[in-house]
Amino acid sequence: MVDDKLIEKLLTAFYNGDTTREEEAILREFFNTKEISEKWNVDRTLFYALYDSSEIDVPKGFSERLENNIDKFNVSKENKRIRHLFTGAGSIAAAILLLAGIFFFHNRPLSDSNMMTDTYTDPQEAAIVAEKIITLVSVNLNKGFSPLEKVKENIDKTNEILNENFKLNN
């Protein structure tokens, strides 16, 4: 098993770009072990993100497809003018429909069936139910925030490493 101090020293050298191939092999072997301390998870992710220098295989015909898609978006000036005309006309039509809808909705008489009614006649019972709902929402919201604490810790550790190695605090 490799000593933690050696790994810290090698990681600092790696982040500074001062490691040899042999030292990187030691780090790679260390991070490939399945059972490492949880404190090394962020470093493992960063190591593999920075270390992976393999060539990316570009699919056959990708360049041609990309050029064809770019050409589709390069429309002539005449097409741009027509598109602009239709966009303007569509916007005006949408505004007219919106105003007509507001006018007819606003001038419509309200019936009793449209009015909101209370579901509880007893105010104390309504307060109890409202308190239960608020408690349920609060509990679920706190459950949602708890994983974010771990993410924040990892981001803070990453920023600390980057600041230390790239001397961003100076």
Side-chain angles (χ1 to χ4, degrees), residues 150-167:
K150 185 70 174 163
V151 170
K152 183 184 179 312
E153 289 173 15
N154 288 340
I155 288 172
D156 290 344
K157 183 176 179 183
T158 302
N159 284 336
E160 182 181 308
I161 291 169
L162 291 174
N163 287 338
E164 178 183 307
N165 289 302
F166 294 111
K167 302 189 183 4

Side-chain angles (χ1 to χ4, degrees), residues 15-51:
Y15 292 139
N16 287 328
D18 297 332
T19 51
T20 63
R21 289 195 185 273
E22 293 78 21
E23 291 170 331
E24 290 174 10
I26 293 170
L27 285 172
R28 194 172 46 252
E29 183 180 322
F30 174 75
F31 286 132
N32 278 337
T33 58
K34 292 183 181 182
E35 295 181 24
I36 63 171
S37 172
E38 191 174 308
K39 76 175 190 173
W40 297 110
N41 285 341
V42 173
D43 289 309
R44 175 189 286 188
T45 304
L46 276 173
F47 176 79
Y48 281 117
L50 295 172
Y51 186 78

Side-chain angles (χ1 to χ4, degrees), residues 14 46-56:
F14 177 77
L46 276 173
F47 176 79
Y48 281 117
L50 295 172
Y51 186 78
D52 187 17
S53 61
S54 61
E55 289 289 322
I56 298 173

Side-chain angles (χ1 to χ4, degrees), residues 63-75:
S63 180
E64 291 81 17
R65 288 194 315 258
L66 181 62
E67 289 174 9
N68 289 337
N69 283 331
I70 290 172
D71 289 341
K72 285 180 188 176
F73 290 107
N74 287 336
V75 285

Side-chain angles (χ1 to χ4, degrees), residues 91-169:
S91 298
I92 291 171
I96 290 171
L97 285 173
L98 180 66
L99 290 174
I102 291 172
F103 175 76
F104 289 116
F105 180 76
H106 184 61
N107 289 333
R108 184 179 63 142
L110 293 175
S111 65
D112 287 341
S113 64
N114 291 339
M115 299 299 285
M116 295 179 74
T117 57
D118 286 336
T119 27
Y120 293 95
T121 54
D122 182 14
Q124 288 179 333
E125 185 181 352
I128 291 170
V129 171
E131 186 177 334
K132 285 181 182 178
I133 291 171
I134 291 171
T135 303
L136 178 67
V137 168
S138 175
V139 166
N140 288 329
L141 191 61
N142 287 336
K143 282 181 188 175
F145 283 140
S146 64
L148 295 178
E149 290 298 320
K150 185 70 174 163
V151 170
K152 183 184 179 312
E153 289 173 15
N154 288 340
I155 288 172
D156 290 344
K157 183 176 179 183
T158 302
N159 284 336
E160 182 181 308
I161 291 169
L162 291 174
N163 287 338
E164 178 183 307
N165 289 302
F166 294 111
K167 302 189 183 4
L168 295 176
N169 286 338

